[in-house]
Amino acid sequence: MRHRISFLLLTALAACTTAQPTTNAPAPGAAILATPIPAATPVVAAKAMVVSAHPEATRIGVEILQKGGNAYDAAVAVQFALAVALPVAGNIGGGGFLLYRGADGQEGALDFRETAPAAASRDMYLDAQGNVIPNLSTLGHLAAGVPGTVAGMWVLHQKLGKLPWKDVVQPAVDLAAKGLKLTEKEAAGLNNQHDTFARLNPGSAYLKAGSWAAGEVIQYPDLARTLGRIRDQGKAGFYEGPTADLLVAEMQRGKGIITRQDLLKYEPKWRTPLHGQYRGYEVLTFPPPSSGGVALLQMLQMLEPYNLGQAGWHSPQATHWITEAQRRVYADRATYLGDPDFGRVPVPQLLEKNYNKQRMATTLPYRATPSAQVTAGANLPGYESDQTTHYNVVDAQGNAVSCTTTLNGAYGSKVVVAGAGFLLNNEMDDFSSKPGTPNSYGLVGGAANAIAPGKRMLSSMTPAILTKGNKLALVTGTPGGSTIITSVLQSILNVVDYGMNAQQAVAARRLHHQWLPDQIDVEAGALLPAAQDTLQARGYKLSPRGGWGRVEVIRVLPDGKLEGGADPRGDDAAAGY
Ligand code: GLY
């Protein structure tokens, strides 16, 4: 088997164009074209910090820490608070990946990714002619995988929590019962979905006659009762009893396939975190079924030989090197990655230093490598949905949590479980509905990510923690579908190579390349006009795109204080004490 995998990797390598190795020197004048690093002020705290996508969730996390809870208690409280305050992505009806590093150096990777229901099958989203049926894997009851979030939080708390479970869930119960003010972005998000909600969820709290306005208070009585059952019965408050009954009844109402048995059988998994090194930092990240950890470490290996700092931030030469690394890594992702419990994923081979060095040896010094020459990709994939969310916690003892959690699309499947008040994910779309051809989102995947009962769909979520000299240095992560991996990469490069503070690192404009389509997505202001000209002259296609990702960063300063950076593209908030 090992030989077969090595052969596959070598075949992919051989498919790359052969060319002179890239020099380690920036092109003449490249630094002059570097984009100036914008100023931005981080939140600084002496002892502990929480950064999340909603101020209420951040507040709740900090209060739990101030009551004597540890980072794991705060993570559970933030997760449940986001399920109330951030319906677009926060969830109890979805899943996620949580990475931690304890103050004692212990570490763990908790996989609470959704699973395909037992009645799922490889071709469930195809018609009689074998074509993908539009929207079936993204919208409505059949799009939902078996949720993992509540089981994940329960298992985390059982292993590492300090405060009583009830105390860490209660703030979310209160938030749902009392309600909270909608921000402008949230009101707009709900209004955009009005017709879909009206069709799928008549009577849900997310729906009202007329439009939501910023500042309006929204209350969630059904969700408060569900969270109350979770508070009182733990995991059983979700996977058994009234919540499970309501979920199964909802499935029957909408011809979904999640059963009581699926709920009872759901188990989160402890996985072994991946380790890599970058410029003196130890990088801890998530293994498959995340593709993100492998891809991040591959890219860091590919980039370490190049002097990105000297080339300058978003200079043509740095962008050239980073793009060529991204292109190669995303080609590998499409071919090799899937649920490791359902097939061998060649992680050690993909993380072999020599393999990644060889991949970069095929880059051209001042010319883009066309993606079609990197591997035989013919179909153009689109983007994974970017409605996921991320939070980081560091407590006063130095325990660190980096957690990315998701419903997949905005408001997931858009199905609210009637009487239980929570949204179900549409994570089934992260499988490849038809291996080898684009699914309804336009994603290409291989057999490694084909649907099978009980299997976890491939993810890009990339929680990451960096240490230096065995001391905590950086906690990072973001939502953003396929852009997650490159946004996390940039947050690390921004700090390590460009000396940015935590807020600069998350606010800085971004670039993204994912092999196919063969283009660099460019956020407005990310590249100077002169740098754009140089990159275009080298053969790069530049594609303007609205901002993406909501990166959250906690950086440990030399004096031990914590610096929090919350992405200004959303309502995100950092706070500490
Ligand atoms: N649903 C987005 C991801 O897991 O990558």
Side-chain angles (χ1 to χ4, degrees), residues 113 384-385 388 406 408 427 430 458-461 481 484:
R113 184 74 164 158
E384 290 178 44
S385 156
T388 297
T406 183
N408 193 26
E427 219 71 57
D430 271 352
L458 187 62
S459 171
S460 298
M461 295 186 289
I484 290 175

Side-chain angles (χ1 to χ4, degrees), residues 61-240:
V62 172
E63 282 175 10
I64 289 288
L65 293 174
Q66 284 173 324
K67 277 185 192 154
N70 60 21
Y72 315 109
D73 294 318
V76 175
V78 169
Q79 176 76 43
F80 285 122
L82 287 170
V84 181
L86 191 78
V88 69
N91 67 84
I92 54 173
F97 296 144
L98 184 143
L99 184 73
Y100 77 84
R101 181 186 184 273
D104 57 2
Q106 297 280 331
E107 60 192 38
L110 179 60
D111 167 355
F112 54 100
R113 184 74 164 158
E114 302 90 326
T115 54
S121 58
R122 196 192 62 176
D123 298 338
M124 63 189 277
Y125 299 117
L126 306 185
D127 64 17
Q129 285 70 47
N131 298 317
V132 173
I133 302 167
N135 298 331
L136 209 56
S137 64
T138 54
L139 188 64
H141 299 68
L142 208 53
V146 182
T149 294
V150 177
M153 292 301 108
W154 177 250
V155 162
L156 174 72
H157 186 264
Q158 292 271 300
K159 180 170 165 151
L160 296 164
K162 196 167 138 203
L163 293 181
W165 170 258
K166 285 183 186 345
D167 293 8
V168 295
V169 183
Q170 186 62 42
V173 180
D174 295 340
L175 200 60
K178 282 190 203 142
L180 71 165
K181 283 185 183 168
L182 286 172
T183 67
E184 206 175 312
K185 289 189 178 78
E186 288 158 1
L190 290 174
N191 291 336
N192 284 342
Q193 300 298 335
H194 180 276
D195 294 351
T196 311
F197 279 143
R199 187 159 55 79
L200 289 170
N201 314 296
S204 97
Y206 299 111
L207 202 59
K208 68 173 272 202
S211 299
W212 292 106
E216 207 169 336
V217 173
I218 182 165
Q219 289 171 310
Y220 302 104
D222 288 342
L223 182 56
R225 278 188 287 276
T226 300
L227 288 165
R229 289 191 289 276
I230 294 168
R231 174 200 59 204
D232 297 339
Q233 296 155 42
K235 180 183 156 187
F238 184 86
Y239 295 91
E240 299 173 41

